[in-house]
Amino acid sequence: MKKHNFSAGPCILPQDVFQKASEAILNFNNLDLSLIEISHRSKDFIAVMEQAQQLALEHLGLEGKGYKILFLQGGASMQFINVPFNLMKNKAGYLNTGTWASKAIKEAKFVGEVVELASSKDSNFNYIPKGYDVPTDLDYIHFTTNNTIFGTQVKEFPEANCPLVCDMSSDIFSRQMDFSKFDIIYAGAQKNMGPAGATLVAVKESVLGKTDRAIPSMLDYRVHAEKDSMFNTPPVFAVYVSMLTLQWLKDLGGVAAIEKKNQAKAELLYNEIDRNPLFKGFAVKEDRSSMNATFNLVDQAHKDSFDALAKEAGLNGINGHRSVGGYRASLYNALPIESVQALVDAMQELERKA
Amino acid sequence: MKKHNFSAGPCILPQDVFQKASEAILNFNNLDLSLIEISHRSKDFIAVMEQAQQLALEHLGLEGKGYKILFLQGGASMQFINVPFNLMKNKAGYLNTGTWASKAIKEAKFVGEVVELASSKDSNFNYIPKGYDVPTDLDYIHFTTNNTIFGTQVKEFPEANCPLVCDMSSDIFSRQMDFSKFDIIYAGAQKNMGPAGATLVAVKESVLGKTDRAIPSMLDYRVHAEKDSMFNTPPVFAVYVSMLTLQWLKDLGGVAAIEKKNQAKAELLYNEIDRNPLFKGFAVKEDRSSMNATFNLVDQAHKDSFDALAKEAGLNGINGHRSVGGYRASLYNALPIESVQALVDAMQELERKA
């Protein structure tokens, strides 16, 4: 039996993508060679890279708007340092909405001054700060759009007179936005895009080259942009699986279509969390994430029973992060609504038995 | 028909590894989940990471000698900057033996002073410099053990009173050495270890922490060592396939056993290059690489005929790098001697027809 996989990342990808990836490991494009034994400079792999870049541009609506799509390595953590290396002259503003935002702030401080615009640390990051002042002398402002651990999501962004940078690792390609509001968007692949090992960076080329800092090649977006993400050997498998996943998304109607499915999944689960007297949500309602629902039992006495029901139903990866506790159900693009229904069924079953 | 794959990297891996990797994409460890959809913090993946680290330690004979094995991202190119960030106080010595050594030098200059100990650039890197002086005030000395593009290999290393650092990307696990002579060894996975997307670093922990530089987390070996390569999400698939490949190597007898096979393959090909009047080698004989044989036709008039014979025989990836021209046959661990024989047969067939 295939499990219902609610893992926070790496996470579920489309079954069809697993199938194609598995086949490509044995024989890619009928070359009688494995995907992972061919040169990254072969025409077959260059076509994969170009298609992945084109699909990402399309899904983000950034075609013809001066952006370059890069596939790099090192996850969001590497971009925490690349962003300030490329953009920071003196100081930057960061919105502190959770663990990953805090890590981004820590790394930026290696490069320059960080102004924390606002923070929800005072209540264990269960909400998104709003109505904060934005200084007018910042080199850029940085957001984490979706806080995987705490289950919150930024839904509105402030007006600013400087570039906007977003870590969209856990909600990219899940909802419609005017992505051209952002000058740099980055995302580790391992949620809605592909397996761990690739990082997407969408960068508006006009914001680069404004500092006089000497930037080591691997940290310099201009180097990767000029070489079309082939400055060094790219993570071939992760890029290929990302391309397959982006193509799957296109085939089912793109971000607009998946957003509807994601809304339906989130509604189904949050409605049950709010209805079922045995459960309570963690994040404040208006800031709830459509990607990661954090919740807990009202009474921990039910924990063993619920965990047994969850196991019996084949629910995988619903334990909450240690800094929140309780449960977390990640509802990424590839998770079918049937899996959410199975979780809701288990919650209702607990209610009946309790 | 499976091809004879002489690609310089990414390159051939054992067929059995392709098979297991393909299966794990569909169902890993009978979890009814794909390898690439499970949490990197699940016990199943942690076991993979630990096994990969243990196997690498064993193969390098570094157990109990104060080394830590890291699996990072970004290839050798990322280590070109990580090494000086972690070790450079004032200046370091680099042996310039080719394209990759030159790139390592370029990146180290972002951090401090580089002394080029010697260079073979004057003759297009077709030999390994020897007998150069080693200053006594260096923070470390850096070598590229095998020059993939030019087909040369460093066989002896100078005595020095400072740490030795080696880029072994294209010959790690191919030959026996006293690896404990080196304080940092790094290697992109995509030759003898696995697919593109993972980088092995073996670091002697006692050499770290000697500079007072503030090092961003992703560039700091101590951060990755402390977190057992789990500071951020590791490249799950690439680590898994590396583990499988290292296990394959152990099962067939380890580095000592593969070295014999590699010597036999290299001898078979170099003997033909030297015997066949239509071909000539590129690298000077004493510095020839056992991993990448570079050679050319004496008379380019035979090029079309030889290329046709190679194609007919299913020889893949034998075109030389543009900076050398001619041909390059990469003889990595997983390449069977039958493939080398097929190449030699094609060379002899050309001689008969010419």
Side-chain angles (χ1 to χ4, degrees):
Chain A
M1 181 194 72
K2 188 76 191 175
K3 299 218 173 81
H4 300 290
N5 187 9
F6 293 93
S7 278
C11 68
I12 189 169
L13 295 173
Q15 291 304 313
D16 180 53
V17 168
F18 291 141
Q19 193 63 47
K20 285 180 177 153
S22 175
E23 287 164 13
I25 297 296
L26 296 178
N27 185 358
F28 175 56
N29 277 6
N30 290 316
L31 295 174
D32 296 317
L33 290 166
S34 168
L35 167 71
I36 59 176
E37 68 173 319
I38 63 169
S39 171
H40 58 291
R41 301 202 185 277
S42 62
K43 70 174 172 30
D44 288 87
F45 182 71
I46 289 172
V48 168
M49 177 62 91
E50 288 177 351
Q51 200 180 340
Q53 291 167 345
Q54 176 58 30
L55 285 164
L57 266 186
E58 278 179 40
H59 285 312
L60 297 173
L62 294 177
E63 289 172 287
K65 292 182 177 169
Y67 287 78
K68 191 95 180 183
I69 299 287
L70 310 176
F71 281 91
L72 306 181
Q73 295 182 62
S77 297
M78 192 65 217
Q79 304 317 311
F80 294 166
I81 192 70
N82 285 7
V83 164
F85 255 85
N86 281 270
L87 294 193
M88 183 103 79
K89 279 172 280 190
N90 300 298
K91 63 178 169 181
Y94 280 67
L95 189 65
N96 191 359
T97 54
T99 305
W100 297 101
S102 300
K103 289 188 181 205
I105 289 168
K106 182 184 170 197
E107 300 305 315
K109 286 179 176 169
F110 283 101
V111 184
E113 187 187 341
V114 171
V115 178
E116 196 175 272
L117 298 173
S119 170
S120 49
K121 194 175 180 183
D122 57 339
S123 62
N124 201 21
F125 299 114
N126 75 340
Y127 72 99
I128 300 294
K130 297 170 200 81
Y132 46 86
D133 288 330
V134 178
T136 55
D137 61 345
L138 301 174
D139 297 326
Y140 65 91
I141 299 179
H142 181 279
F143 310 93
T144 311
T145 46
N146 186 74
N147 299 283
T148 326
I149 291 175
F150 302 97
T152 63
Q153 197 165 25
V154 181
K155 290 162 193 177
E156 284 182 25
F157 299 88
E159 292 300 314
N161 66 343
C162 65
L164 300 183
V165 177
C166 253
D167 176 358
M168 294 195 187
S169 291
S170 56
D171 68 351
I172 197 164
F173 306 126
S174 74
R175 57 172 170 163
Q176 291 182 289
M177 271 203 262
D178 177 3
F179 293 99
S180 70
K181 287 201 303 194
F182 305 100
D183 300 87
I184 295 182
I185 296 167
Y186 63 88
Q190 66 268 18
K191 320 284 185 184
N192 283 327
M193 196 174 75
T199 315
L200 177 98
V201 181
V203 56
K204 195 165 189 174
E205 292 194 88
S206 60
V207 301
L208 300 177
K210 309 283 194 201
T211 82
D212 50 14
R213 179 176 298 108
I215 309 174
S217 304
M218 282 296 283
L219 279 59
D220 191 337
Y221 291 134
R222 291 168 302 179
V223 168
H224 294 292
E226 195 195 326
K227 298 285 187 184
D228 290 318
S229 302
M230 293 279 203
F231 169 67
N232 65 321
T233 311
V236 167
F237 176 78
V239 173
Y240 176 69
V241 179
S242 297
M243 182 279 284
L244 292 178
T245 308
L246 293 172
Q247 185 62 52
W248 166 86
L249 180 57
K250 183 174 178 173
D251 293 344
L252 68 73
V255 175
I258 204 77
E259 182 177 31
K260 279 189 200 149
K261 288 175 190 278
N262 288 334
Q263 281 168 345
K265 289 185 292 182
E267 215 172 282
L268 176 59
L269 180 54
Y270 283 122
N271 282 348
E272 180 62 17
I273 291 169
D274 292 339
R275 186 207 62 76
N276 193 319
L278 302 189
F279 291 92
K280 60 182 177 187
F282 172 76
V284 305
K285 287 190 184 180
E286 67 177 14
D287 297 327
R288 279 174 167 173
S289 165
S290 59
M291 292 285 102
N292 314 94
T294 46
F295 57 103
N296 207 340
L297 289 159
V298 173
D299 181 350
Q300 293 303 314
H302 295 128
K303 182 166 166 36
D304 288 350
S305 309
F306 185 61
D307 289 351
L309 285 168
K311 191 173 179 188
E312 199 180 308
L315 310 184
N316 179 71
I318 61 166
N319 284 334
H321 190 274
R322 67 184 176 282
S323 48
V324 177
Y327 300 95
R328 170 175 54 174
S330 295
L331 312 173
Y332 297 122
N333 284 357
L335 186 85
I337 196 161
E338 291 73 20
S339 290
V340 184
Q341 188 61 57
L343 169 57
V344 167
D345 289 348
M347 294 165 78
Q348 295 181 348
E349 180 70 11
L350 181 73
E351 188 186 9
R352 272 190 296 275
K353 287 190 172 175
Chain B
M1 182 194 71
K2 188 76 190 176
K3 298 218 175 82
H4 300 290
N5 187 9
F6 294 93
S7 278
C11 68
I12 189 168
L13 295 171
Q15 291 304 312
D16 180 52
V17 168
F18 291 141
Q19 192 63 48
K20 285 180 178 154
S22 174
E23 286 162 14
I25 297 297
L26 296 179
N27 185 359
F28 175 55
N29 277 6
N30 290 316
L31 295 174
D32 295 318
L33 290 166
S34 167
L35 166 72
I36 59 177
E37 68 173 319
I38 63 168
S39 170
H40 58 291
R41 301 201 185 278
S42 62
K43 69 173 173 32
D44 288 87
F45 182 70
I46 289 172
V48 168
M49 177 63 92
E50 288 176 350
Q51 200 179 342
Q53 291 168 346
Q54 177 56 30
L55 285 164
L57 266 186
E58 278 179 39
H59 285 313
L60 297 173
L62 294 177
E63 288 173 286
K65 293 183 176 168
Y67 287 78
K68 192 95 181 181
I69 298 288
L70 310 176
F71 281 91
L72 306 181
Q73 294 183 62
S77 296
M78 192 66 216
Q79 304 318 311
F80 295 166
I81 192 71
N82 285 8
V83 165
F85 255 85
N86 282 270
L87 295 192
M88 182 103 79
K89 281 172 279 191
N90 299 298
K91 63 179 170 180
Y94 278 68
L95 189 65
N96 191 359
T97 54
T99 305
W100 297 100
S102 300
K103 289 188 181 205
I105 289 169
K106 182 184 169 195
E107 300 305 315
K109 286 180 176 171
F110 282 101
V111 184
E113 188 187 339
V114 172
V115 177
E116 196 175 274
L117 298 172
S119 169
S120 48
K121 193 174 181 184
D122 57 339
S123 61
N124 201 23
F125 298 114
N126 76 338
Y127 72 99
I128 300 294
K130 294 168 202 83
Y132 45 87
D133 288 331
V134 178
T136 56
D137 61 346
L138 301 174
D139 297 324
Y140 65 90
I141 300 178
H142 181 280
F143 310 93
T144 311
T145 45
N146 186 74
N147 299 283
T148 327
I149 291 174
F150 302 97
T152 63
Q153 197 165 24
V154 180
K155 291 162 193 178
E156 286 182 24
F157 299 87
E159 292 300 315
N161 65 343
C162 65
L164 300 184
V165 178
C166 253
D167 176 358
M168 293 194 187
S169 291
S170 55
D171 67 351
I172 197 165
F173 305 125
S174 75
R175 57 171 170 165
Q176 292 182 285
M177 269 203 263
D178 177 3
F179 293 100
S180 70
K181 287 199 306 192
F182 304 100
D183 299 88
I184 295 183
I185 296 167
Y186 63 88
Q190 65 269 17
K191 319 285 185 183
N192 282 329
M193 195 175 75
T199 315
L200 176 97
V201 181
V203 58
K204 194 167 189 171
E205 293 194 85
S206 60
V207 302
L208 300 178
K210 308 285 194 199
T211 82
D212 49 14
R213 179 176 297 109
I215 308 175
S217 303
M218 283 294 284
L219 278 58
D220 190 338
Y221 291 134
R222 291 168 303 180
V223 169
H224 294 291
E226 195 196 327
K227 299 284 186 183
D228 290 319
S229 302
M230 291 279 202
F231 169 69
N232 65 321
T233 312
V236 168
F237 176 79
V239 173
Y240 176 67
V241 179
S242 297
M243 182 278 284
L244 293 178
T245 308
L246 293 172
Q247 185 62 52
W248 166 86
L249 180 57
K250 183 174 178 174
D251 294 344
L252 68 72
V255 175
I258 205 76
E259 183 177 31
K260 277 188 200 151
K261 287 176 191 273
N262 287 334
Q263 282 169 343
K265 290 185 291 183
E267 214 172 284
L268 176 60
L269 180 54
Y270 284 122
N271 281 348
E272 180 62 18
I273 290 169
D274 293 340
R275 186 208 60 76
N276 192 319
L278 301 189
F279 292 92
K280 58 181 178 188
F282 172 76
V284 305
K285 287 189 185 181
E286 67 177 14
D287 297 326
R288 278 174 167 173
S289 164
S290 58
M291 291 285 102
N292 314 94
T294 45
F295 58 102
N296 208 339
L297 289 159
V298 172
D299 181 351
Q300 293 303 315
H302 295 127
K303 182 167 167 33
D304 289 348
S305 308
F306 185 61
D307 289 351
L309 285 168
K311 191 173 179 187
E312 199 180 309
L315 310 183
N316 179 70
I318 61 166
N319 284 334
H321 190 274
R322 65 183 178 284
S323 48
V324 177
Y327 299 95
R328 170 175 54 175
S330 295
L331 312 174
Y332 297 123
N333 284 357
L335 186 85
I337 197 163
E338 291 73 20
S339 289
V340 184
Q341 188 61 55
L343 169 57
V344 167
D345 289 347
M347 293 165 77
Q348 295 181 347
E349 180 71 10
L350 181 73
E351 189 186 8
R352 273 188 296 277
K353 286 190 171 173

